[in-house]
Amino acid sequence: MDAYLLDWLNLVLRGAHVITGIAWIGASFYFVGLDSSLTPPADDKDRAKGIGGELWAVHGGGFYHQQKYPVAPARLPEQLHWSMWESYSTWLTGFALFTTLYLFNAGTFLIDKNVHDWSPTAAIATALAFFVAFWLIYDAICRIFGPRRNGDLIVGILVFAFIVFASWLSCRLFAGRAAFLLVGAMMATTMTANVAMVIIPGQRKVVAALREGRAVDPIHGQRGKQRSVHNTYFTLPVVFTMISNHYGFVFGAKHNWLVLVVLMLAGALVRVSFVLRHKALVEQRPVPWRYAIAGTLLVVATVAVLLPAPPAATAQTPAPAPTFAEVEAIVAQRCSACHNAALANKNVRLDSAAEIRAHAQEVYQQAVVLKLMPISNATQMTDAERAALGRWYEAGAPAR
């Protein structure tokens, strides 16, 4: 019953996280595209009112005229729309899901003793420290180097270097799937902190100053713009880490930290082209697809590097398929602990001959092809055992 309720909690939290994430990413992409698509207002009266850019759009059977005031309108309206709850809700549901799946099951999901043998308490504390440390160091980099000459370039290089280090360290401490997810969650936490700690407080100070008739400090707009740009480039790398736990060949690679960095960089490069695309279309220039092409080539190169080596030609007779008794012994030792009558994870039981045969395809897929199971290889299934299960299934999963 506990496993059943946990699965329902997982489903509800995952659904809420996906929905709120779509809302946040959609709003972020929309405003980045809108800001880059604005053109100087055609009407002199609009320019006289302080409007710096406008966009005419058609959608849903109607026409929209969107205008941007670089500073503020002459009269600030009482009702203002604030874009923040999409971000907060995404982080809250994501952290709840991370807590339910990873922190409450740290011994299974966070720890791989072949990577680093430590206690669940230490693993949990370190995982949470990643969130806090990354935000504090990232924020310090932005505040110290951002205002300097070529500040955006310096900040970009330093933040990227820090992400590389965090990726390397995470993959040296945690199970592969947890390490990838942790790096993404770390970056997502910083994205929400940008909204909660910099963008929204800065906007509130600007609004308060305007309502009181005081001069507006331009630093708030500069910081908000900088953090918003960072958030949009973080988005695709974070999305990749969120889905990476379904692909063992990625997080289980020999140099998995480097795979993580390269694929996140590929996502960021693709995003660069789409951000620049809006301005290019407005100015009737060619879209700079070179960044997206570079990102795509990085993905292709990663696919080539991770391509499994073909089996070496040999004159020896191929190993025969194991007997069912041998398969049953492997499953009993490596799989049944989590798939039995008392604890049927994912509603799968492997504690009887009939159940093993019924789930032969799933065993083959999860343990042999994807190598996702056992989770974090907690029961230390060997490559030879995986190969034996593979030969058994490929021979038709015989019952003898």
Side-chain angles (χ1 to χ4, degrees), residues 168-391:
W168 173 85
L169 183 60
S170 180
C171 290
R172 289 295 177 274
L173 294 177
F174 299 97
R177 64 191 299 167
F180 275 42
L181 183 65
L182 181 61
V183 170
M186 171 191 80
M187 294 171 65
T189 296
T190 292
M191 291 170 68
T192 295
N194 276 337
V195 175
M197 306 295 288
V198 177
I199 297 173
I200 295 300
Q203 289 176 346
R204 292 193 186 282
K205 290 177 182 177
V206 168
V207 170
L210 290 171
R211 294 198 189 283
E212 295 168 8
R214 295 184 284 108
V216 174
D217 188 345
I219 190 64
H220 301 303
Q222 295 166 5
R223 285 177 178 168
K225 180 69 173 179
Q226 178 196 54
R227 304 305 177 91
S228 180
V229 169
H230 291 174
N231 278 6
T232 201
Y233 291 141
F234 280 1
T235 301
L236 294 187
V238 168
V239 170
F240 161 70
T241 64
M242 296 298 110
I243 63 175
S244 66
N245 64 338
H246 297 286
Y247 306 98
F249 62 87
V250 177
F251 63 73
K254 182 178 180 180
H255 301 292
N256 57 352
W257 70 272
L258 188 56
V259 173
L260 173 60
V261 169
V262 169
L263 292 181
M264 288 196 299
L265 177 60
L269 287 171
V270 170
R271 185 69 188 127
V272 170
S273 279
F274 279 91
V275 170
L276 297 178
R277 170 180 176 271
H278 305 292
K279 181 65 71 176
L281 292 177
V282 168
E283 297 177 354
Q284 297 183 337
R285 294 184 289 104
V287 176
W289 291 119
R290 58 186 179 275
Y291 299 104
I293 293 172
T296 302
L297 291 176
L298 283 177
V299 175
V300 172
T302 304
V303 172
V305 170
L306 297 182
L307 189 68
T314 177
Q316 297 179 353
T317 303
T323 65
F324 183 74
E326 292 172 321
V327 169
E328 194 171 20
I330 294 173
V331 172
Q333 183 179 7
R334 308 301 187 188
C335 309
S336 295
C338 296
H339 298 283
N340 53 64
L343 182 62
N345 276 343
K346 304 302 179 185
N347 203 31
V348 173
R349 290 178 55 181
L350 298 171
D351 55 343
S352 71
E355 293 286 356
I356 293 173
R357 289 194 294 271
H359 295 288
Q361 183 178 8
E362 294 166 81
V363 171
Y364 176 72
Q365 180 190 58
Q366 298 294 319
V368 181
V369 178
L370 298 178
K371 296 184 179 180
L372 292 175
M373 296 293 167
I375 291 188
S376 301
N377 204 17
T379 57
Q380 303 298 297
M381 180 181 284
T382 66
D383 289 340
E385 290 170 333
R386 294 183 193 276
L389 293 177
R391 292 195 305 275

Side-chain angles (χ1 to χ4, degrees), residues 123-146:
I124 292 171
T126 304
L128 295 176
F130 264 72
F131 297 161
V132 177
F134 186 81
W135 161 249
L136 292 176
I137 296 173
Y138 162 85
D139 185 59
I141 289 173
C142 292
R143 291 180 184 273
I144 294 171
F145 297 99

Side-chain angles (χ1 to χ4, degrees), residues 20-232:
T20 54
I22 290 172
W24 184 18
I25 293 172
S28 174
F29 281 16
Y30 173 75
F31 277 106
V32 168
L34 172 63
D35 202 49
S36 299
S37 301
L38 296 173
T39 58
D43 193 328
D44 292 337
K45 294 180 180 179
D46 287 338
R47 285 195 290 270
K49 290 191 295 184
I51 295 173
E54 66 178 357
L55 172 70
W56 282 91
V58 58
H59 181 76
F63 293 89
Y64 296 81
H65 186 201
Q66 295 150 307
Q67 299 173 315
K68 178 181 178 179
Y69 292 83
V71 181
R75 182 183 67 81
L76 199 63
E78 290 299 322
Q79 297 296 326
L80 287 172
H81 174 77
W82 297 80
S83 294
M84 56 182 173
W85 287 109
E86 301 94 336
S87 171
Y88 301 163
S89 300
T90 301
W91 187 86
L92 289 171
T93 53
F95 186 74
L97 187 61
F98 180 73
T99 299
T100 301
L101 294 182
Y102 284 83
L103 300 188
F104 283 169
N105 299 282
T108 300
F109 286 93
L110 283 182
I111 298 173
D112 182 345
K113 294 184 178 181
N114 291 322
V115 175
H116 189 66
D117 190 357
W118 53 346
S119 70
T121 301
I124 292 171
T126 304
L128 295 176
F130 264 72
F131 297 161
V132 177
F134 186 81
W135 161 249
L136 292 176
I137 296 173
Y138 162 85
D139 185 59
I141 289 173
C142 292
R143 291 180 184 273
I144 294 171
F145 297 99
R148 299 185 182 183
R149 183 179 179 183
N150 298 320
D152 288 340
L153 177 61
I154 296 172
V155 169
I157 292 172
L158 291 177
V159 170
F160 176 72
F162 189 43
I163 290 174
V164 172
F165 172 74
S167 300
W168 173 85
L169 183 60
S170 180
C171 290
R172 289 295 177 274
L173 294 177
F174 299 97
R177 64 191 299 167
F180 275 42
L181 183 65
L182 181 61
V183 170
M186 171 191 80
M187 294 171 65
T189 296
T190 292
M191 291 170 68
T192 295
N194 276 337
V195 175
M197 306 295 288
V198 177
I199 297 173
I200 295 300
Q203 289 176 346
R204 292 193 186 282
K205 290 177 182 177
V206 168
V207 170
L210 290 171
R211 294 198 189 283
E212 295 168 8
R214 295 184 284 108
V216 174
D217 188 345
I219 190 64
H220 301 303
Q222 295 166 5
R223 285 177 178 168
K225 180 69 173 179
Q226 178 196 54
R227 304 305 177 91
S228 180
V229 169
H230 291 174
N231 278 6
T232 201

